[in-house]
């Protein structure tokens, strides 16, 4: 199979000894990437008796699955928008400082770590802080601001959003900082010389230049939240309000027969969403990189 | 003249104020859970201050006898952090160089395959890898270390972008032809000519692979293997304080490493994989 594909890549020319050099790579990728992808794509259309069926895809219409997808989309969209806006403002603030200053080094290093800090450790850190015993909860309770004792943390549309923001903002800073640093001071001076105010500068010069980068960052944040599993898994112990959790559930529970392939259908659904967003990102990034020349 | 200068100064002051306000607010948000963790790990059962948790963490003997999961997970993750970048480099560097030199027609296909994992989240990869890992377990046994095969796939896009940028910056063809005409074999070309020239790219790709490996939870947990993250998750149920302390120590350690690297001329944003997806900048024309 890999062979036929290779030959096609060479426009039907006879494979020579040079091809041997790429065999290990293609073999590895076939086993660990292409086969798993095909397993998901075809598994979605196979019933538990082994025959072709649309039952798994139809099962995606179940209220439990549609609500999981819906929750995932909302959670990702909200944290992507909020993370992108806050991260972009932070990036701009950092870019106004000295280019090699301590502040910038500190913020970029911190963001580099925090963007990766998702998962179990992050969930536990938030539990330690905001759960019923956490110090911020106690602080808020004593100030009379808190009524339900930290239970909000486990809700997908409250606590999880806050936790996701914790890795979305740093990611936006890292992705967006090169774009704001690409703004040349001469552009602002030119706008001022021609009598433009700060508002006009942002509206007519900086805004349009940064927009593709901003939306690109937003899309990246969306897929980042949409595919995240670990943080939610460590925080939510009951039910599966999000699509990744629902997929994980079909793998670990052996209660319902044939549930496995419904999991593959859900996985396929996820791939479709991510693929659409990622394609849009790649197109936008090409547009954005035009202004990144320095 | 002086009016204009006054205006500039006022603008500067406003910008400085804006910067400090924004940075302070966001950093406070970043620090809140960390302060929460520190507070949580320095309390004893009665709610008094105690350094019990941290002194246990520093005592290797106590850790291995009282928290065997943590020891297993730590060792497994350490092994994975070596094996994953090793396989990744062995697979990518020769292939990418070879494709440039001898089979340029395959470059689009290689790029497509390397970027494909971007559309396949880890949780989806687990679903598809289940039958493949049944074979891996059959041939190689059940050790956690074989998760490295899956981790290589996860790092593929980011490593590809790093190495591609590195290889683009040097003239692979001329360098290898020069070496070949002086009598070097392909192995010598690879090890003594190409590798030293792309060492920055190799380092940053390996760094990414290590960071991704140490933070991975999804695949390990769903395949029931114990790596560092899974160990922390398991511990969180029995002894949350130790688990939170490990997480915090890990974070502080990574931050110190990165902060130090930023002074050593390290590349910005080197640890955040998604940030490395940006296309390499074009040279000004």
């Amino acid at each position: 199979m890999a062979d036929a594909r290779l030959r096609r890549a060479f426009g039907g020319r006879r494979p020579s000894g040079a091809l041997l050099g790429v065999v290990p790579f293609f073999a590895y990728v076939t086993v660990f990437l292409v086969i798993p992808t095909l397993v998901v794509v075809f598994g979605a259309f196979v019933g538990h008796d082994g025959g072709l069926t649309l039952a798994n895809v139809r099962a995606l219409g179940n209220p439990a699955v549609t609500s999981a997808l819906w929750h995932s989309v909302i959670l990702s969209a909200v944290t992507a928008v909020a993370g992108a806006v806050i991260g972009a403002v932070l990036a701009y603030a950092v870019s106004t400082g000295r280019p090699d200053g301590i502040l910038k080094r500190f913020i970029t290093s911190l963001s580099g770590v925090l963007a990766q800090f998702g998962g179990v450790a992050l969930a536990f850190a938030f539990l330690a802080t905001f759960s019923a015993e956490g110090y911020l909860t106690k602080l808020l309770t004593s100030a009379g601001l808190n009524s339900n004792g930290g239970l909000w943390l486990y809700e997908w549309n409250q606590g999880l959003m806050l936790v996701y923001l914790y890795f979305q903002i740093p990611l936006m800073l890292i992705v967006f900082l090169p774009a704001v640093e690409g703004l040349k001071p001469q552009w602002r001076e030119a706008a001022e010389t021609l009598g433009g105010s700060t508002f006009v500068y942002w509206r007519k010069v900086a805004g349009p230049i940064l927009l593709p980068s901003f939306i690109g960052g937003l899309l990246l944040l969306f897929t980042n939240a949409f595919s995240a599993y670990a943080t939610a898994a460590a925080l939510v112990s009951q039910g599966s309000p999000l699509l990744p959790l629902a997929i994980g559930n079909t793998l670990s529970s052996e209660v319902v027969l044939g549930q496995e392939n419904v999991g593959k259908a859900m996985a396929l659904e996820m791939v479709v969403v991510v693929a659409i967003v990622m394609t849009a990102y790649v197109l936008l990034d090409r547009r954005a990189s035009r202004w990144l020349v320095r | 003249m002086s009016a204009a200068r006054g205006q500039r100064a006022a603008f500067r002051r406003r910008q400085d104020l804006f910067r400090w306000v924004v940075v302070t607010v966001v950093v406070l948000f970043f620090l809140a859970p960390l302060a929460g963790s520190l507070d949580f790990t320095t309390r004893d059962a009665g709610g008094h201050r105690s350094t019990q948790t941290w002194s246990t963490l520093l005592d290797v003997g106590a850790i291995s006898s009282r928290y065997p999961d943590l020891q297993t997970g730590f060792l497994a993750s350490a092994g994975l952090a070596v094996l994953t970048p090793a396989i990744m480099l062995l697979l990518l560097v020769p292939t990418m160089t070879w494709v440039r030199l001898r089979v340029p027609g395959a470059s689009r296909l290689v790029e497509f395959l390397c970027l494909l994992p971007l559309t396949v989240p880890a949780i989806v990869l687990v679903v598809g890898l289940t039958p493949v890992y049944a074979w891996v377990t059959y041939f190689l046994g059940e050790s956690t270390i074989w998760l490295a095969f899956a981790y290589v796939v996860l790092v593929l896009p980011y490593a590809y972008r790093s190495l591609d940028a590195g290889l683009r910056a040097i003239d692979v063809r001329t360098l290898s032809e020069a070496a070949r005409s002086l009598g070097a074999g392909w192995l010598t070309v690879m090890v003594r000519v190409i590798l030293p020239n792309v060492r920055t790219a190799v380092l940053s790709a390996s760094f990414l692979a290590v960071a991704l490996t140490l933070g991975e939870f999804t695949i390990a947990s769903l395949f029931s293997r114990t790596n560092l993250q899974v160990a922390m998750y398991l511990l969180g149920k029995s002894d949350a304080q130790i688990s939170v302390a490990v997480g915090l120590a890990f974070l502080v350690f990574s931050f110190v490493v990165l902060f130090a690297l930023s002074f050593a001329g390290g590349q910005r944003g080197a640890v955040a994989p998604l940030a490395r997806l940006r296309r390499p900048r074009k040279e000004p024309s």
Side-chain angles (χ1 to χ4, degrees), chain A residues 1-10 19 23 26-27 30 34, chain B residues 109:
Chain A
M1 195 185 70
D3 217 350
R5 218 181 29 227
L6 270 182
R7 208 165 302 146
R8 227 178 307 129
F10 296 99
L19 274 189
V23 166
F26 282 105
T30 304
V34 177
Chain B
L109 184 61

Side-chain angles (χ1 to χ4, degrees), chain A residues 254-275:
Chain A
E254 284 153 20
V255 194
V256 194
L257 200 69
Q259 193 69 353
E260 244 178 64
N261 287 346
V262 177
K264 284 173 191 155
M266 287 194 270
L268 183 61
E269 186 175 44
M270 200 161 167
V271 170
V272 170
V273 174
V274 175

Side-chain angles (χ1 to χ4, degrees), chain A residues 29-46:
Chain A
V29 170
T30 304
V31 173
F32 290 102
L33 179 62
V34 177
I35 291 181
T37 312
L38 295 180
V39 164
V40 169
V41 172
F42 289 115
F45 300 99
V46 173

Side-chain angles (χ1 to χ4, degrees), chain A residues 15 34 51 61 70 86 112 132 141 162 185 209 265 275 278:
Chain A
V34 177
W70 190 231
I86 301 173
T141 314
L162 191 71
I209 287 174
M278 267 326 222

Side-chain angles (χ1 to χ4, degrees), chain A residues 68-115:
Chain A
L69 174 68
W70 190 231
H71 290 169
S72 271
V73 169
I74 294 184
L75 174 69
S76 313
V78 170
T79 59
V81 171
V85 171
I86 301 173
V89 172
L90 181 66
Y92 175 70
V94 170
S95 79
T96 60
R98 279 192 299 131
D100 270 329
I102 278 285
L103 177 77
K104 192 183 142 193
R105 288 176 198 277
F106 178 81
I107 296 285
T108 46
S109 309
L110 187 66
S111 297
V113 177
L114 294 185

